[in-house]
Amino acid sequence: MSKQTPRKQNGRKPTGAKQADARQTDGQSATTAKRANAGKNPGAGSGAGSGTVTEGRAGKAATADSTRIPSPAAAPAPAPAPAPEQDVPPVGEFSRRRLLGTVGAAGAAGLVVGGAGGALGVSAARDDAPEALTSIGSARVPFRPTGGGHQAGITTPLQAKGHLVAFDLAPGTDRKAAAALLRRWSRTAGELTAGRAPDADTGVALDAGPSSLTVTFGFGHSFFGRTGLTKRRPVALDPLPDFSADALDAGRSNGDLWIQIGADDALVAFHALRALQKDAAGRARLRWQMNGFNRTPGATARPMTARNLMGQIDGTNNPKPSDKDFDERIFVGRDADQAWMRGGSYAVVRRIRMLLDDWEKHSRHEQERVIGRRKDNGAPLTGGSETTPMRLDANGPDGLPVIPANAHARIAAPESNQGAAMLRRPFSYHDGFREDGAPDAGLLFVCWQADPLRAFTQVQRKLDRGDALSPFLRHEASGLFAVPPAAEPDGYVGQALLEG
């Protein structure tokens, strides 16, 4: 807080001596503020008409303090000589880290107008040492994990903001040029995820920490034909089959190259998107882009499974890294036909619009029967908590299954699909409203698996035949991408493919 307003905001009643001191200090503060305003904005003794945000707050502070000026009967102490003016940067030049550090120390109440607002403005503008980043800002996910391994963004906890982007190689971009692009992208991603600015930085995320930024790269089916690498294209990358509920926009589907960006800060995520897009100039052209979001970390009292825009807890039955067969289900094994994909994974991407107006016409009871789980806590309709296994053989007093035969949770369960499972890691999206006034909103579905044919395709075929949720969904875009292991310490993503 400013030295001009040394108020203590506690619940104790001050002694008589302290009250006199406070009155004396307040009178001095008001006098100093009036002098400052008179010098900067002549004729503004009332506090109105200030020329800048900072001055406006100071004027309000002086007005508030003037209501506590001692009465003429009190003997005021001589006013001290005015302190020398300090060079204070304009409001637009505040360091974001310094401002946030001040707010974090003062609490949200420090942002109210009046005396506290003026004090905060002065304190934030001083050239003192920056405050430490919050845990959210300082969280870092290595782009190149120690000892190698999988790319970040697969088992990483869901981030608050995400971008999914696909590129097509520009005409004339051959295998060598594609390798140069992946090398440049990997270098940029490594800098950004470490919280460092790349070359020719735009300054979009200046002062922010990495904020759990992840950048994940993948290759589409068409990439291999364009680079003369068709013999190295995995069988698992064969195009997905058509499904009856599909209404796919080809312009927003597939692509030669795919990038998934995630971060817990929207500016950090956009910064990465912009940097990678600039890196692609002359080598690849943007095919499509989708922007998504999740809950901000810390928004709930305890860590919870994410909710989608239908209000349902989404991801309850996800495989867990602690499962003994997790790696076998999610990551490509050592016996894969293409060595460069060993330790990698396959990402299925679907843009699924939710018919929210139709969905919200149904009661909570009806919605829960469509899903097969309670809306409030995600527990199966057969009872227990969110993590309680579903009892698919349980019948009610009427002799019918407690979890309806066409409930989404029943049909998608591994028990109903010969053990098939995938790691779902989606983002929600909202792209405004359609011409009929309905929200253009839903799910950017991203799932990870070792073999799409035995995971996503198998489950989606079953859902396609009678899922109670399907009438409320529209699948509007789709893609399948091969995501190789993480880059080596001095290498780049896909190096074993492009140089092997």
Side-chain angles (χ1 to χ4, degrees):
M1 299 294 288
S2 169
K3 293 181 180 178
Q4 296 178 353
T5 55
R7 304 188 188 99
K8 294 184 179 180
Q9 299 181 358
N10 55 30
R12 301 172 189 165
K13 184 176 181 180
T15 64
K18 289 183 178 179
Q19 286 177 333
D21 289 341
R23 286 194 297 269
Q24 176 179 330
T25 303
D26 284 340
Q28 294 168 358
S29 299
T31 302
T32 303
K34 282 185 176 181
R35 289 174 179 169
N37 280 337
K40 294 179 182 178
N41 190 13
S46 65
S50 298
T52 67
V53 173
T54 304
E55 291 170 356
R57 287 177 178 168
K60 290 182 180 180
T63 303
D65 287 344
S66 67
T67 63
R68 295 189 294 275
I69 295 176
S71 65
E85 293 187 1
Q86 298 182 11
D87 292 329
V88 178
V91 173
E93 295 180 8
F94 287 176
S95 159
R96 184 165 76 238
R97 184 180 301 173
R98 189 180 307 149
L99 178 60
L100 290 176
T102 306
V103 174
L111 291 176
V112 297
V113 296
L120 176 61
V122 174
S123 177
R126 294 190 176 193
D127 195 19
D128 42 18
E131 297 288 339
L133 285 167
T134 66
S135 59
I136 291 178
S138 61
R140 177 186 172 190
V141 182
F143 178 69
R144 294 176 174 86
T146 303
H150 319 301
Q151 287 194 58
I154 301 177
T155 59
T156 307
L158 289 173
Q159 296 116 315
K161 184 65 178 178
H163 299 292
L164 307 179
V165 197
F167 291 85
D168 286 336
L169 295 177
T173 302
D174 56 11
R175 175 176 175 175
K176 183 177 180 181
L181 173 59
L182 267 297
R183 187 180 298 111
R184 186 183 308 133
W185 270 351
S186 296
R187 181 173 62 250
T188 297
E191 293 292 308
L192 292 171
T193 55
R196 298 187 294 266
D199 296 338
D201 185 53
T202 61
V204 171
L206 192 65
D207 295 336
S211 303
S212 298
L213 174 68
T214 59
V215 182
T216 315
F217 297 102
F219 300 95
H221 186 275
S222 55
F223 175 85
F224 298 83
R226 295 180 188 273
T227 54
L229 292 168
T230 52
K231 292 183 178 180
R232 308 204 70 187
R233 182 167 55 207
V235 174
L237 200 54
D238 286 350
L240 298 172
D242 295 329
F243 301 102
S244 64
D246 284 355
L248 305 181
D249 178 352
R252 292 192 294 180
S253 299
N254 302 310
D256 295 344
L257 293 163
W258 176 72
I259 304 176
Q260 174 191 254
I261 298 168
D264 283 330
D265 179 82
L267 282 179
V268 169
F270 174 82
H271 183 220
L273 172 66
R274 184 71 179 123
L276 295 167
Q277 181 191 12
K278 290 173 65 178
D279 279 350
R283 300 292 173 89
R285 300 177 299 189
L286 182 70
R287 180 179 178 88
W288 54 259
Q289 176 190 329
M290 300 175 189
N291 309 315
F293 58 90
N294 283 304
R295 262 197 183 125
T296 301
T300 55
R302 57 182 176 80
M304 298 180 67
T305 309
R307 286 187 186 271
N308 59 37
L309 299 188
M310 287 179 160
Q312 300 293 148
I313 292 178
D314 192 345
T316 296
N317 211 19
N318 251 345
K320 299 175 179 57
S322 57
D323 297 342
K324 62 180 181 180
D325 57 353
F326 179 82
D327 283 359
E328 180 183 345
R329 288 179 167 187
I330 308 306
F331 296 108
V332 178
R334 297 180 179 179
D335 58 347
D337 59 330
Q338 296 293 347
W340 65 272
M341 267 300 289
R342 294 170 186 170
S345 188
Y346 290 93
V348 173
V349 180
R350 308 276 283 187
R351 184 184 190 271
I352 304 174
R353 181 164 58 91
M354 296 175 171
L355 307 186
L356 295 177
D357 286 345
D358 294 342
W359 175 254
E360 291 163 4
K361 292 175 184 176
H362 292 266
S363 68
R364 174 173 292 194
H365 173 72
E366 291 170 333
Q367 292 176 356
E368 290 178 340
R369 288 183 60 78
V370 167
I371 301 298
R373 290 182 176 275
R374 289 182 55 174
K375 195 168 187 175
D376 58 351
N377 62 5
L381 297 185
T382 48
S385 67
E386 180 189 352
T387 57
T388 301
M390 292 185 293
R391 293 190 291 119
L392 299 178
D393 57 350
N395 294 327
D398 56 3
L400 297 176
V402 176
I403 299 175
N406 63 348
H408 181 77
R410 174 188 286 272
I411 294 178
E415 300 90 325
S416 303
N417 292 279
Q418 300 176 347
M422 50 198 160
L423 180 64
R424 304 185 305 286
R425 196 177 181 278
F427 293 93
S428 292
Y429 79 87
H430 179 217
D431 291 340
F433 294 84
R434 297 164 59 85
E435 291 183 359
D436 61 0
D440 186 1
L443 199 68
L444 300 182
F445 177 89
V446 182
C447 72
W448 300 90
Q449 58 261 291
D451 185 348
L453 183 63
R454 293 194 295 178
F456 172 80
T457 299
Q458 181 167 325
V459 174
Q460 187 59 33
R461 277 176 172 161
K462 192 155 189 176
L463 292 170
D464 208 34
R465 292 194 293 265
D467 173 29
L469 186 60
S470 292
F472 302 97
L473 306 176
R474 295 292 183 269
H475 293 246
E476 297 182 336
S478 180
L480 171 62
F481 302 96
V483 177
E488 296 294 330
D490 295 321
Y492 61 91
V493 173
Q495 186 170 3
L497 165 65
L498 291 162
E499 297 184 13

PDB file of all heavy atoms in Angstrom, residues 457-474:
ATOM      1  N   THR A 457     -13.371 -46.429 -32.978  1.00  0.00           N
ATOM      2  CA  THR A 457     -14.269 -46.936 -34.017  1.00  0.00           C
ATOM      3  C   THR A 457     -15.219 -47.984 -33.464  1.00  0.00           C
ATOM      4  O   THR A 457     -16.426 -47.978 -33.776  1.00  0.00           O
ATOM      5  CB  THR A 457     -13.454 -47.507 -35.191  1.00  0.00           C
ATOM      6  OG1 THR A 457     -12.639 -46.462 -35.751  1.00  0.00           O
ATOM      7  CG2 THR A 457     -14.360 -48.062 -36.275  1.00  0.00           C
ATOM      8  N   GLN A 458     -14.725 -48.875 -32.646  1.00  0.00           N
ATOM      9  CA  GLN A 458     -15.574 -49.930 -32.092  1.00  0.00           C
ATOM     10  C   GLN A 458     -16.677 -49.338 -31.205  1.00  0.00           C
ATOM     11  O   GLN A 458     -17.845 -49.732 -31.306  1.00  0.00           O
ATOM     12  CB  GLN A 458     -14.721 -50.913 -31.285  1.00  0.00           C
ATOM     13  CG  GLN A 458     -15.528 -52.063 -30.695  1.00  0.00           C
ATOM     14  CD  GLN A 458     -14.646 -53.183 -30.178  1.00  0.00           C
ATOM     15  OE1 GLN A 458     -13.607 -53.467 -30.758  1.00  0.00           O
ATOM     16  NE2 GLN A 458     -15.046 -53.823 -29.095  1.00  0.00           N
ATOM     17  N   VAL A 459     -16.312 -48.382 -30.363  1.00  0.00           N
ATOM     18  CA  VAL A 459     -17.305 -47.784 -29.468  1.00  0.00           C
ATOM     19  C   VAL A 459     -18.295 -46.927 -30.254  1.00  0.00           C
ATOM     20  O   VAL A 459     -19.512 -46.982 -30.029  1.00  0.00           O
ATOM     21  CB  VAL A 459     -16.606 -46.954 -28.375  1.00  0.00           C
ATOM     22  CG1 VAL A 459     -17.623 -46.210 -27.522  1.00  0.00           C
ATOM     23  CG2 VAL A 459     -15.734 -47.848 -27.504  1.00  0.00           C
ATOM     24  N   GLN A 460     -17.796 -46.141 -31.215  1.00  0.00           N
ATOM     25  CA  GLN A 460     -18.676 -45.249 -31.960  1.00  0.00           C
ATOM     26  C   GLN A 460     -19.670 -46.023 -32.819  1.00  0.00           C
ATOM     27  O   GLN A 460     -20.818 -45.591 -32.986  1.00  0.00           O
ATOM     28  CB  GLN A 460     -17.842 -44.303 -32.826  1.00  0.00           C
ATOM     29  CG  GLN A 460     -18.651 -43.212 -33.519  1.00  0.00           C
ATOM     30  CD  GLN A 460     -19.403 -42.322 -32.559  1.00  0.00           C
ATOM     31  OE1 GLN A 460     -18.936 -42.073 -31.444  1.00  0.00           O
ATOM     32  NE2 GLN A 460     -20.561 -41.833 -32.979  1.00  0.00           N
ATOM     33  N   ARG A 461     -19.261 -47.158 -33.345  1.00  0.00           N
ATOM     34  CA  ARG A 461     -20.196 -47.989 -34.120  1.00  0.00           C
ATOM     35  C   ARG A 461     -21.360 -48.451 -33.246  1.00  0.00           C
ATOM     36  O   ARG A 461     -22.508 -48.479 -33.695  1.00  0.00           O
ATOM     37  CB  ARG A 461     -19.456 -49.190 -34.705  1.00  0.00           C
ATOM     38  CG  ARG A 461     -18.719 -48.881 -36.008  1.00  0.00           C
ATOM     39  CD  ARG A 461     -17.936 -50.067 -36.492  1.00  0.00           C
ATOM     40  NE  ARG A 461     -17.377 -49.838 -37.827  1.00  0.00           N
ATOM     41  CZ  ARG A 461     -16.379 -50.537 -38.347  1.00  0.00           C
ATOM     42  NH1 ARG A 461     -15.816 -51.522 -37.638  1.00  0.00           N
ATOM     43  NH2 ARG A 461     -15.932 -50.256 -39.555  1.00  0.00           N
ATOM     44  N   LYS A 462     -21.054 -48.768 -32.006  1.00  0.00           N
ATOM     45  CA  LYS A 462     -22.123 -49.218 -31.122  1.00  0.00           C
ATOM     46  C   LYS A 462     -23.026 -48.052 -30.726  1.00  0.00           C
ATOM     47  O   LYS A 462     -24.257 -48.183 -30.681  1.00  0.00           O
ATOM     48  CB  LYS A 462     -21.535 -49.879 -29.873  1.00  0.00           C
ATOM     49  CG  LYS A 462     -22.568 -50.625 -29.046  1.00  0.00           C
ATOM     50  CD  LYS A 462     -21.930 -51.716 -28.222  1.00  0.00           C
ATOM     51  CE  LYS A 462     -22.995 -52.592 -27.564  1.00  0.00           C
ATOM     52  NZ  LYS A 462     -22.388 -53.718 -26.827  1.00  0.00           N
ATOM     53  N   LEU A 463     -22.423 -46.903 -30.446  1.00  0.00           N
ATOM     54  CA  LEU A 463     -23.226 -45.725 -30.146  1.00  0.00           C
ATOM     55  C   LEU A 463     -24.113 -45.356 -31.332  1.00  0.00           C
ATOM     56  O   LEU A 463     -25.250 -44.885 -31.167  1.00  0.00           O
ATOM     57  CB  LEU A 463     -22.320 -44.542 -29.794  1.00  0.00           C
ATOM     58  CG  LEU A 463     -21.532 -44.630 -28.479  1.00  0.00           C
ATOM     59  CD1 LEU A 463     -20.496 -43.509 -28.401  1.00  0.00           C
ATOM     60  CD2 LEU A 463     -22.469 -44.564 -27.281  1.00  0.00           C
ATOM     61  N   ASP A 464     -23.600 -45.569 -32.514  1.00  0.00           N
ATOM     62  CA  ASP A 464     -24.305 -45.216 -33.746  1.00  0.00           C
ATOM     63  C   ASP A 464     -25.581 -46.032 -33.936  1.00  0.00           C
ATOM     64  O   ASP A 464     -26.479 -45.624 -34.672  1.00  0.00           O
ATOM     65  CB  ASP A 464     -23.355 -45.444 -34.927  1.00  0.00           C
ATOM     66  CG  ASP A 464     -23.658 -44.532 -36.098  1.00  0.00           C
ATOM     67  OD1 ASP A 464     -24.076 -43.393 -35.865  1.00  0.00           O
ATOM     68  OD2 ASP A 464     -23.472 -44.968 -37.248  1.00  0.00           O
ATOM     69  N   ARG A 465     -25.648 -47.167 -33.245  1.00  0.00           N
ATOM     70  CA  ARG A 465     -26.788 -48.071 -33.456  1.00  0.00           C
ATOM     71  C   ARG A 465     -27.925 -47.861 -32.456  1.00  0.00           C
ATOM     72  O   ARG A 465     -28.929 -48.556 -32.541  1.00  0.00           O
ATOM     73  CB  ARG A 465     -26.316 -49.531 -33.391  1.00  0.00           C
ATOM     74  CG  ARG A 465     -25.425 -49.937 -34.551  1.00  0.00           C
ATOM     75  CD  ARG A 465     -25.284 -51.457 -34.620  1.00  0.00           C
ATOM     76  NE  ARG A 465     -24.562 -52.006 -33.495  1.00  0.00           N
ATOM     77  CZ  ARG A 465     -23.255 -52.256 -33.498  1.00  0.00           C
ATOM     78  NH1 ARG A 465     -22.537 -51.987 -34.579  1.00  0.00           N
ATOM     79  NH2 ARG A 465     -22.670 -52.770 -32.432  1.00  0.00           N
ATOM     80  N   GLY A 466     -27.803 -46.949 -31.506  1.00  0.00           N
ATOM     81  CA  GLY A 466     -28.912 -46.801 -30.577  1.00  0.00           C
ATOM     82  C   GLY A 466     -28.579 -46.122 -29.269  1.00  0.00           C
ATOM     83  O   GLY A 466     -29.076 -46.513 -28.224  1.00  0.00           O
ATOM     84  N   ASP A 467     -27.756 -45.086 -29.316  1.00  0.00           N
ATOM     85  CA  ASP A 467     -27.402 -44.326 -28.119  1.00  0.00           C
ATOM     86  C   ASP A 467     -28.473 -43.285 -27.847  1.00  0.00           C
ATOM     87  O   ASP A 467     -28.836 -42.501 -28.737  1.00  0.00           O
ATOM     88  CB  ASP A 467     -26.046 -43.666 -28.347  1.00  0.00           C
ATOM     89  CG  ASP A 467     -25.651 -42.714 -27.241  1.00  0.00           C
ATOM     90  OD1 ASP A 467     -26.075 -42.941 -26.095  1.00  0.00           O
ATOM     91  OD2 ASP A 467     -24.914 -41.746 -27.531  1.00  0.00           O
ATOM     92  N   ALA A 468     -28.986 -43.219 -26.616  1.00  0.00           N
ATOM     93  CA  ALA A 468     -30.040 -42.258 -26.282  1.00  0.00           C
ATOM     94  C   ALA A 468     -29.557 -40.814 -26.361  1.00  0.00           C
ATOM     95  O   ALA A 468     -30.368 -39.889 -26.475  1.00  0.00           O
ATOM     96  CB  ALA A 468     -30.566 -42.547 -24.875  1.00  0.00           C
ATOM     97  N   LEU A 469     -28.248 -40.600 -26.323  1.00  0.00           N
ATOM     98  CA  LEU A 469     -27.711 -39.248 -26.382  1.00  0.00           C
ATOM     99  C   LEU A 469     -27.598 -38.731 -27.818  1.00  0.00           C
ATOM    100  O   LEU A 469     -27.599 -37.512 -28.043  1.00  0.00           O
ATOM    101  CB  LEU A 469     -26.339 -39.211 -25.703  1.00  0.00           C
ATOM    102  CG  LEU A 469     -25.653 -37.856 -25.538  1.00  0.00           C
ATOM    103  CD1 LEU A 469     -26.511 -36.903 -24.709  1.00  0.00           C
ATOM    104  CD2 LEU A 469     -24.278 -38.025 -24.902  1.00  0.00           C
ATOM    105  N   SER A 470     -27.496 -39.623 -28.791  1.00  0.00           N
ATOM    106  CA  SER A 470     -27.240 -39.229 -30.180  1.00  0.00           C
ATOM    107  C   SER A 470     -28.218 -38.200 -30.742  1.00  0.00           C
ATOM    108  O   SER A 470     -27.801 -37.306 -31.487  1.00  0.00           O
ATOM    109  CB  SER A 470     -27.210 -40.467 -31.076  1.00  0.00           C
ATOM    110  OG  SER A 470     -26.070 -41.260 -30.779  1.00  0.00           O
ATOM    111  N   PRO A 471     -29.527 -38.253 -30.436  1.00  0.00           N
ATOM    112  CA  PRO A 471     -30.438 -37.237 -30.991  1.00  0.00           C
ATOM    113  C   PRO A 471     -30.114 -35.812 -30.552  1.00  0.00           C
ATOM    114  O   PRO A 471     -30.595 -34.858 -31.175  1.00  0.00           O
ATOM    115  CB  PRO A 471     -31.808 -37.677 -30.452  1.00  0.00           C
ATOM    116  CG  PRO A 471     -31.672 -39.136 -30.199  1.00  0.00           C
ATOM    117  CD  PRO A 471     -30.265 -39.314 -29.729  1.00  0.00           C
ATOM    118  N   PHE A 472     -29.301 -35.650 -29.540  1.00  0.00           N
ATOM    119  CA  PHE A 472     -28.961 -34.322 -29.043  1.00  0.00           C
ATOM    120  C   PHE A 472     -27.581 -33.854 -29.518  1.00  0.00           C
ATOM    121  O   PHE A 472     -27.090 -32.815 -29.062  1.00  0.00           O
ATOM    122  CB  PHE A 472     -28.993 -34.311 -27.510  1.00  0.00           C
ATOM    123  CG  PHE A 472     -30.322 -34.719 -26.929  1.00  0.00           C
ATOM    124  CD1 PHE A 472     -30.532 -36.031 -26.513  1.00  0.00           C
ATOM    125  CD2 PHE A 472     -31.359 -33.814 -26.824  1.00  0.00           C
ATOM    126  CE1 PHE A 472     -31.754 -36.425 -25.983  1.00  0.00           C
ATOM    127  CE2 PHE A 472     -32.587 -34.192 -26.294  1.00  0.00           C
ATOM    128  CZ  PHE A 472     -32.786 -35.500 -25.885  1.00  0.00           C
ATOM    129  N   LEU A 473     -26.962 -34.599 -30.434  1.00  0.00           N
ATOM    130  CA  LEU A 473     -25.606 -34.304 -30.890  1.00  0.00           C
ATOM    131  C   LEU A 473     -25.542 -34.241 -32.404  1.00  0.00           C
ATOM    132  O   LEU A 473     -26.299 -34.932 -33.093  1.00  0.00           O
ATOM    133  CB  LEU A 473     -24.620 -35.375 -30.397  1.00  0.00           C
ATOM    134  CG  LEU A 473     -24.581 -35.675 -28.897  1.00  0.00           C
ATOM    135  CD1 LEU A 473     -23.621 -36.835 -28.629  1.00  0.00           C
ATOM    136  CD2 LEU A 473     -24.171 -34.448 -28.090  1.00  0.00           C
ATOM    137  N   ARG A 474     -24.614 -33.448 -32.916  1.00  0.00           N
ATOM    138  CA  ARG A 474     -24.324 -33.398 -34.342  1.00  0.00           C
ATOM    139  C   ARG A 474     -22.807 -33.427 -34.526  1.00  0.00           C
ATOM    140  O   ARG A 474     -22.106 -32.504 -34.095  1.00  0.00           O
ATOM    141  CB  ARG A 474     -24.906 -32.130 -34.977  1.00  0.00           C
ATOM    142  CG  ARG A 474     -26.420 -32.056 -34.965  1.00  0.00           C
ATOM    143  CD  ARG A 474     -27.032 -33.105 -35.888  1.00  0.00           C
ATOM    144  NE  ARG A 474     -28.492 -32.982 -35.922  1.00  0.00           N
ATOM    145  CZ  ARG A 474     -29.310 -33.631 -35.095  1.00  0.00           C
ATOM    146  NH1 ARG A 474     -28.803 -34.451 -34.159  1.00  0.00           N
ATOM    147  NH2 ARG A 474     -30.610 -33.481 -35.179  1.00  0.00           N
TER     148      ARG A 474
END
